[in-house]
Amino acid sequence: MTRFHRALIIGAATAALMAGSASAKTLVFCSEGSPENFSPPRATSGTASTAAAETIYSRLVDFERGTTNLRNHLAEKYDVSADGKVYTFNLRKGVKFGATSYFKPTRDMNADDVIFSIERQLKPDHPYNKVGGDKFYYFESLNMAKVIEKVEKVDDMTVRITLVDALSPFITNMAMPFMSVFSKEYADQLTKAGKMEDIDLKPVGTGPFVYVDYQKDSTIRYRPNPDYFEGKSTLDGLVFAITPDATQRSNKLKAGECHIAALPNPNDIEGLKKEPKLQVLQQAGLNVGYIAFNVEKKPFDDVRVRQALNLAINKKNIIDAIYQGGIGEVAKNPLPPVMAWAYNDDIKDYSYDVEAAKKLLAEAGVPVGTEIDLWAMPVSRPYNPNAKRMGEIVQADWEKVGIKAKIVSYDWGEYLKRTNDGEHQTMMLGWTGDTGDPDNFLYELLGCAAAKAGGNRARWCNAEFEDLIQKARKIGDKAERAKLYQQAQVIFKKEAPWVTVAHAVQTVPMSKDVENYKVDPLGRYKFYGVTLK
């Protein structure tokens, strides 16, 4: 089947679905890509988090919709010991796992499920530790195995987590997707059936929606969880129409083939705002788009090379070409400006200076004509709407200083895996905050544990930087933490493991039939609480 014919079939199917669900109130979301899996602890992309963590699963604590304010969720309350090391979670009673065609739960969620979900990632000898892969990316990047001393069942509805040391961002980290709660009963059923891999492929959770089926690169279907503990969704169904091309997503939205579209092309936004049947929601993003240098590979082990290639990039051209319509601003720090309390505005960014870049490369002994790779994402992301075009601009800039960059790409899942394993020399990626805490950027993307786990794509481990962010993790005083983070940003800028490219404005276009949608500052899409006229 040609790509053209497949597109026609998918488009026709989506249109038929929309037509057939006018009274059924099925919300169709034109998503930007296929999830790499349906496993929050295994996933690394916002695509997978939206497809699983925000639809199928729940966590002990979560963020209020549209904010980074923490709230109790599967835990009706929690207590922290005076020394900050012991967290006791009292679980909500009557929480039910969603029944699917392949699993019918016989009991409510309890402490066994919480402990299973954490210990699967914590204990190397856990029967499900190696199922689905050999890495739990977030868990390892946050060094949780050295943070958590033990997890205990106090009784059926109480879980106690003891930390090795007090950790300021621990409770917000518990609201991240990787801490989603799985069903131990379902895991036991899969073990007996010899189908343990299904735990990450056929998901079962306590979230607002229940997984129905998935046609790769085409559609994901969900139905509302009738027993969801916060109340059944007013939607009768939810469908992800997977549409990698941004212009096609916008066209589908205008044609009424979907209600909400992910990540529009910046140059389509003004046109979408003028569509009488559409609305466009926007807010400042908690994100950063960057180019990482793999410091384990030559010539990027030399700071002069990293500084030179920072100087060689004209960021203004990138903003004008890719973040059109004012949806992006030049990034000078790894933290976004909206995180004002920890942001170091005194830092000076690398200016665009071709001659200075050439001089540094010569000092580092890098010959003119040196060939390197530049990996570019195959999908649009909030922090980088067009990585291929950005790659072409950077390629041209680097050629002016004698560096020949070959643009490399893979499908999204493969791209994430290979860059996580450090196969690249330079690569594009970005980050949308998971918690609203600076630790979520600086420790998780640039810390030494993340360099080993793969979340730190620069594989950069700097002792002075590490010391500052580790101290900040153990201090409760916000002002003291801010000072440490501001010092850490100075070291980052000097050492230049990244080119910090842009901070993007989050833009969500949708039909005017959609009501009560809230833009998520953490960059995901949440459909519970949304209604359709």
Side-chain angles (χ1 to χ4, degrees), residues 158-445:
T158 311
V159 174
R160 183 164 57 224
I161 301 176
T162 303
L163 308 185
V164 175
D165 293 302
L167 183 67
S168 296
F170 176 75
I171 193 61
T172 52
N173 289 346
M174 290 295 291
M176 289 171 62
F178 77 97
M179 280 299 185
S180 295
V181 174
F182 284 66
S183 166
K184 184 179 185 299
E185 184 185 14
Y186 177 47
D188 291 342
Q189 173 183 301
L190 292 176
T191 301
K192 290 178 182 176
K195 297 180 178 180
M196 295 170 74
E197 297 284 339
D198 280 358
I199 198 164
D200 296 323
L201 303 174
K202 294 182 175 180
V204 170
T206 61
F209 297 94
V210 175
Y211 172 89
V212 176
D213 59 37
Y214 170 44
Q215 296 179 20
K216 185 172 171 55
D217 300 330
S218 175
T219 53
I220 313 171
R221 292 194 303 142
Y222 309 84
R223 59 178 175 79
N225 181 353
D227 301 312
Y228 182 53
F229 62 93
E230 292 191 313
K232 182 183 176 182
S233 169
T234 60
L235 300 174
D236 292 323
L238 174 64
V239 173
F240 285 23
I242 298 167
T243 313
D245 184 78
T247 298
Q248 190 181 7
R249 289 196 297 274
S250 294
N251 288 339
K252 282 185 175 183
L253 184 65
K254 288 187 284 187
E257 293 180 26
C258 55
H259 297 99
I260 302 173
L263 307 175
N265 265 335
N267 54 4
D268 291 338
I269 292 171
E270 289 306 313
L272 291 170
K273 288 179 178 178
K274 295 175 183 176
E275 290 286 329
K277 294 183 179 180
L278 302 182
Q279 55 184 321
V280 179
L281 305 186
Q282 292 183 298
Q283 71 177 37
L286 191 72
N287 61 50
V288 62
Y290 62 81
I291 300 169
F293 302 114
N294 186 342
V295 303
E296 293 182 346
K297 292 190 174 182
K298 291 184 178 299
F300 304 104
D301 56 340
D302 190 323
V303 67
R304 293 171 295 184
V305 176
R306 304 195 298 268
Q307 292 172 340
L309 294 190
N310 264 274
L311 289 164
I313 292 177
N314 188 333
K315 293 185 186 179
K316 184 179 183 303
N317 281 353
I318 292 175
I319 297 296
D320 291 345
I322 295 171
Y323 299 85
Q324 297 170 10
I327 68 154
E329 62 176 311
V330 168
K332 65 180 180 180
N333 292 326
L335 293 183
V338 293
M339 205 174 284
W341 67 273
Y343 185 80
N344 190 339
D345 201 29
D346 293 333
I347 285 174
K348 302 298 181 187
D349 200 8
Y350 290 96
S351 58
Y352 176 53
D353 192 331
V354 171
E355 293 308 313
K358 287 180 178 178
K359 183 179 178 182
L360 278 173
L361 289 170
E363 289 176 5
V366 178
V368 172
T370 293
E371 297 180 355
I372 64 170
D373 61 45
L374 171 60
W375 290 38
M377 299 175 298
V379 295
S380 298
R381 303 306 303 147
Y383 45 74
N384 185 341
N386 192 338
K388 183 178 183 294
R389 179 68 185 121
M390 186 184 292
E392 292 167 349
I393 295 171
V394 172
Q395 183 184 50
D397 281 347
W398 284 351
E399 190 162 1
K400 292 172 186 174
V401 299
I403 299 296
K404 294 185 176 181
K406 177 185 177 183
I407 297 175
V408 176
S409 194
Y410 295 90
D411 72 64
W412 188 217
E414 191 72 10
Y415 184 91
L416 291 171
K417 180 182 184 301
R418 287 175 178 264
T419 57
N420 183 85
D421 293 341
E423 294 184 20
H424 59 284
Q425 285 180 297
T426 71
M427 58 83 68
M428 295 180 204
L429 202 61
W431 187 256
T432 300
D434 292 298
T435 65
D437 192 291
D439 183 80
N440 182 242
F441 282 78
L442 300 183
Y443 183 80
E444 196 155 343
L445 302 181

Side-chain angles (χ1 to χ4, degrees), residues 62-80:
D62 203 357
F63 299 105
E64 291 178 4
R65 198 162 61 98
T67 78
T68 56
N69 299 328
L70 203 65
R71 67 179 183 125
N72 293 325
H73 203 43
L74 292 179
E76 61 182 9
K77 68 173 185 175
Y78 68 90
D79 299 306
V80 187

Side-chain angles (χ1 to χ4, degrees), residues 119-161:
E119 288 191 340
R120 179 190 180 191
Q121 304 176 75
L122 179 65
K123 294 186 173 183
D125 60 350
H126 190 282
Y128 274 86
N129 182 266
K130 297 297 186 290
V131 173
D134 61 352
K135 285 183 180 293
F136 294 103
Y137 299 98
Y138 281 90
F139 197 87
E140 292 173 30
S141 292
L142 289 168
N143 212 14
M144 294 294 277
K146 293 185 178 179
V147 168
I148 298 174
E149 180 179 301
K150 57 184 175 179
V151 184
E152 300 171 284
K153 176 180 177 179
V154 178
D155 56 44
D156 280 349
M157 301 307 293
T158 311
V159 174
R160 183 164 57 224
I161 301 176

